[in-house]
Amino acid sequence: MVPELLSSYFLWYPVSLYNYARLCGWLANNGDAKAAKAYAEEVVPPPVLRYRNKVAAHFALADSRPDDTPADLAASVLLPVSFINGRLTARGFRIIVGPSTSDDLMWSLTDVHEKLSERYGWATPPHGDKA
């Protein structure tokens, strides 16, 4: 692991996971794009999907939606990684701007990957081992 790249790992993973899940859904549904998207949105954990949509795929600040609060926009360009409960975690905090509080976008890359490894049969090293 390269500490300088931690934020990049948390940007790369949600985008790649969503693309992978969407492809699996597309294959499982004979090329039906709507079913593929529904499958991906069912499989990708909600905090990871929100993180992808507001931070990883594009910063909400640069591509805002009507439901984005000022706190969401400010938080979208902050890429901190925290160490919580023995795991590297994205967005282990929330931002407050005026009366608004940012969405809860906290998630652990290793937790998510380990859980989805069971579904997809991905090999993962035992917890605590170096990849």
Side-chain angles (χ1 to χ4, degrees):
M1 173 178 55
V2 181
E4 296 84 2
L5 294 177
L6 281 176
S7 292
S8 295
Y9 300 150
F10 280 89
L11 291 173
W12 164 80
Y13 193 85
V15 172
S16 297
L17 173 60
Y18 183 82
N19 288 346
Y20 183 83
R22 198 160 174 177
L23 177 61
C24 289
W26 185 83
L27 291 168
N29 290 287
N30 300 312
D32 182 333
K34 281 187 175 184
K37 185 176 181 181
Y39 173 81
E41 291 178 359
E42 174 187 324
V43 170
V44 177
V48 179
L49 186 58
R50 285 192 307 272
Y51 191 90
R52 176 210 175 263
N53 293 342
K54 291 189 181 285
V55 180
H58 47 78
F59 298 127
L61 183 65
D63 187 20
S64 63
R65 303 286 190 254
D67 63 331
D68 288 330
T69 67
D72 289 331
L73 299 178
S76 74
V77 295
L78 299 174
L79 305 174
V81 175
S82 305
F83 195 66
I84 299 174
N85 296 324
R87 297 289 181 136
L88 292 170
T89 304
R91 292 289 299 281
F93 62 88
R94 295 174 80 176
I95 302 291
I96 299 172
V97 175
S100 67
T101 302
S102 62
D103 278 353
D104 180 7
L105 301 178
M106 187 171 84
W107 61 282
S108 165
L109 194 153
T110 50
D111 281 343
V112 169
H113 190 75
E114 287 171 0
K115 288 175 183 147
L116 289 174
S117 293
E118 296 170 14
R119 178 185 205 106
Y120 291 116
W122 299 330
T124 59
H127 180 65
D129 286 1
K130 293 182 180 179

